Amino acid sequence: TSSPAGVPATLPPVGISKTKSPSANRAQSLMSSSWVDSYGDGCEWYEEHDPGCELYASCCENNGLTAMKACTFCLRSNE
C-alpha cells in the first residue's frame, strides 16, 4: 500500500525526536545573543531571573518572539 500524499512511508519510532541541524543550532545561538524583549532585556536576563523558563519566558514579545522561542537555554529546558 502507498502512503497518502505528503505523509512519509515510514514514521520514526514513538519517543524519538528529531534533532536540529548544526546550522539551525548556530542560527539559534546567534539569535539568542542578539534578541531582546520589549523591555530591552536579553536572554542573559532570563537565564538569571527565570532559569527554568517558567515565570517570564512567555512574556514581552519582540519581533514575534519571546524568550521561550528566542533563547537557547529555554529551548533546551523545554525539550
Side-chain angles (χ1 to χ4, degrees):
T1 64
S2 64
S3 299
V7 176
T10 58
L11 298 173
V14 174
I16 296 179
S17 63
K18 295 180 182 178
T19 58
K20 289 184 179 181
S21 69
S23 60
N25 288 335
R26 258 192 309 280
Q28 184 64 44
S29 294
L30 290 173
M31 182 174 23
S32 285
S33 65
S34 63
W35 177 85
V36 294
D37 68 13
S38 58
Y39 290 99
D41 296 314
C43 292
E44 301 82 22
W45 187 92
Y46 286 91
E47 193 166 17
E48 181 180 338
H49 295 89
D50 189 9
C53 299
E54 297 174 350
L55 301 173
Y56 311 112
S58 295
C59 170
C60 313
E61 183 178 305
N62 188 18
N63 292 325
L65 296 171
T66 62
M68 189 66 75
K69 300 267 185 193
C71 300
T72 304
F73 75 93
C74 281
L75 292 171
R76 282 193 300 256
S77 69
N78 288 296
E79 287 181 339

